[in-house]
Amino acid sequence: MELREIIDGCINGVPKAQRELYEKYAGLLMAICLRYSSHEAEDILQMSFVKIFGNIHKYKGEGSFEGWIKRITVNTAVTNYHKKNALKQAADIDDFHSELSDAQASTLSQMRADELLKLIEALADKYRVTFNLYAIEGYKHTEIAEMLGITEGTSKSQVSRARKMIQEQLERISQQEKAN
Amino acid sequence: MPLKIDEVFKSKMDAFTRTPSDGIWLAIEKELTLKPTAPQALWGKLISVLSILSLAGILFSIIQLGSSKPKNLSINPKNPTSNTPRVAFPHQAPQVPLAKAGHAPLRNPSAASSIIRASLKGPNPTQTPTPTPNVRPKTDQLPRPSAGLSAKPTALDSAAPSLMNSQTSSTSQSPKEIKKADHQYQMGDYVVFRIAFENTSTKTTNQLQIWEEFPDWCDASTLETIGHDPLHHVKTKIKKGQNTVIWKVKGDFVGPRASSPNKGYIEYRIQLTEAIRASELKRNEPQSK
């Protein structure tokens, strides 16, 4: 079935089309959900799909469908984050600009996606969400600030701290590799 | 500006996929069967409006027939003993005598109009909602011990109404079910209620939303979106001295509520008992201070 047929089927509530859409995108969206909350990923995925099916008639075919459903999933993950965390404005802004050392860069390039996911999972919620939105999803700091209800400076600070934490983890891993 | 670390993460994570567990699709499918798609809902509404109108039309015709006086009936001049009533208005006249067609003329038109009123009134507001199918429970609906304070499990809805009193300010669209917990509440516990909301006018549940209207003693996790699940858990963390839990539910209400003074929301006020407030909460105060 072509994507357009699947979408039309979902608009008309055809179960086969809904199933096909799910099969096609569940893996991709699950990976996004895992990046935001590993232990609630399946809940977020479920909520995302219900939203997608409920609003699919609003998709007018402008822009990529994959981009549209990814955005819904990211928004659902962010909403979930809002529910779980009372957002507090971080007053401190310390932009951390540090490039990776050769050893860290080498470790990073050798790591598989699921290993990178573990690095992301190890971050605290607020750092994980801002890092995902900025580095992977490609949102700007102004957009992230609006989505999360924080200042642009806080968003920058949190991404920066997330990078620093990841870098520290990479350093530990590369040290272990050296020792072995 | 994106750094090297960002680029590596983006390139690898973009291509990454993970198959969810098998139960997810079943849970989604169940939610979908509860909630019609937009075109289905539109057709459903149209059909129900048309059927009400046609029913009203039929009943109106029957009333007209029933309220016709004898002077409007024609008697067959060739057979004056024949007492078969016929309707005088040709455009309304059935081609067969009413008695033969199996319909007795209505003697009490007001009875029929009450049927019309009943059918237009819609569902009975006191009707018990249909139980929700057993969909996979969401993680955030499950009890969690509160951090730093009491690590006792969350009280779930089940029994023992003696611990708490509940009251609502709602009239026509009150919650269908507020179950109380069988748990000795302590400071730091979460109170979890299972509440079924149902918009009795539209028979939908997805327009309601838990609305934030909490004093500072409430946990932010109380902010929940009802979404599509008519049975929903809300939870509130009890703090020292707390004696009331209030939830307000905002919704797109239609029907009788539209003219009520507290239009727009229903308030649920849960009163904790004196005993819990005075003894349990105090007794379980953290010792570390």
Side-chain angles (χ1 to χ4, degrees), chain B residues 141-163:
Chain B
Q141 293 171 344
L142 297 174
R144 290 206 182 92
S146 56
L149 294 168
S150 166
K152 287 198 75 170
T154 308
L156 277 175
D157 46 80
S158 52
S162 61
L163 286 176

Side-chain angles (χ1 to χ4, degrees), chain A residues 16-28:
Chain A
K16 193 183 166 212
Q18 289 172 336
R19 179 69 200 236
E20 203 148 328
L21 188 88
Y22 174 81
E23 297 284 353
K24 196 173 170 68
Y25 292 108
L28 177 75

Side-chain angles (χ1 to χ4, degrees), chain B residues 266-282:
Chain B
I266 306 172
E267 183 177 296
Y268 304 98
R269 188 180 291 271
I270 317 294
Q271 196 78 34
L272 304 178
T273 61
E274 196 67 33
I276 297 165
R277 228 173 40 240
S279 60
E280 293 296 323
L281 291 181
K282 196 174 177 185

Side-chain angles (χ1 to χ4, degrees), chain A residues 42-43 46 84 109 111 163, chain B residues 6 12 21 31 139-140:
Chain A
E42 293 197 329
D43 286 345
Q46 183 182 333
K84 300 287 163 201
S109 62
M111 288 175 88
R163 284 192 195 119
Chain B
D6 298 359
K12 291 196 178 182
S21 63
E31 285 208 41
T139 314
D140 65 348

Side-chain angles (χ1 to χ4, degrees), chain A residues 10-13 18-19 22 26-28 30-31 34-35 39-40 42-43 45-47 49-50 53-54 57 83-84 86 98-100 108-111 113-114 116-117 119-120 131 134-136 163 166-167, chain B residues 1-10 12-14 16-22 24-25 27-29 31-32 35 37-40 135-141 144 219-225 228 235:
Chain A
C10 291
I11 290 172
N12 294 316
Q18 289 172 336
R19 179 69 200 236
Y22 174 81
L28 177 75
M30 182 66 187
L34 280 169
R35 289 207 299 267
H39 65 284
E40 288 174 317
E42 293 197 329
D43 286 345
L45 182 74
Q46 183 182 333
M47 286 188 276
F49 265 107
V50 172
F53 289 128
H57 61 284
K83 284 197 286 184
K84 300 287 163 201
S98 171
E99 278 298 331
L100 298 171
L108 185 62
S109 62
Q110 287 168 20
M111 288 175 88
D114 57 329
L116 294 183
L117 184 64
L119 294 184
I120 295 175
F131 181 75
Y134 182 80
I136 302 172
R163 284 192 195 119
I166 290 171
Q167 205 169 341
Chain B
M1 188 179 170
L3 300 176
K4 167 84 176 165
I5 193 167
D6 298 359
E7 286 165 11
V8 175
F9 268 89
K10 180 162 178 56
K12 291 196 178 182
M13 295 311 293
D14 268 352
F16 177 59
T17 60
R18 174 76 64 85
T19 310
S21 63
D22 295 341
I24 298 295
W25 170 249
I28 293 169
E29 208 174 22
E31 285 208 41
L32 290 175
K35 186 172 177 278
T37 60
Q40 282 172 340
V135 293
R136 192 182 68 88
K138 294 188 173 71
T139 314
D140 65 348
Q141 293 171 344
R144 290 206 182 92
D219 190 272
S221 60
T222 340
L223 263 178
E224 294 270 9
T225 303
H228 315 283
K235 61 182 178 184

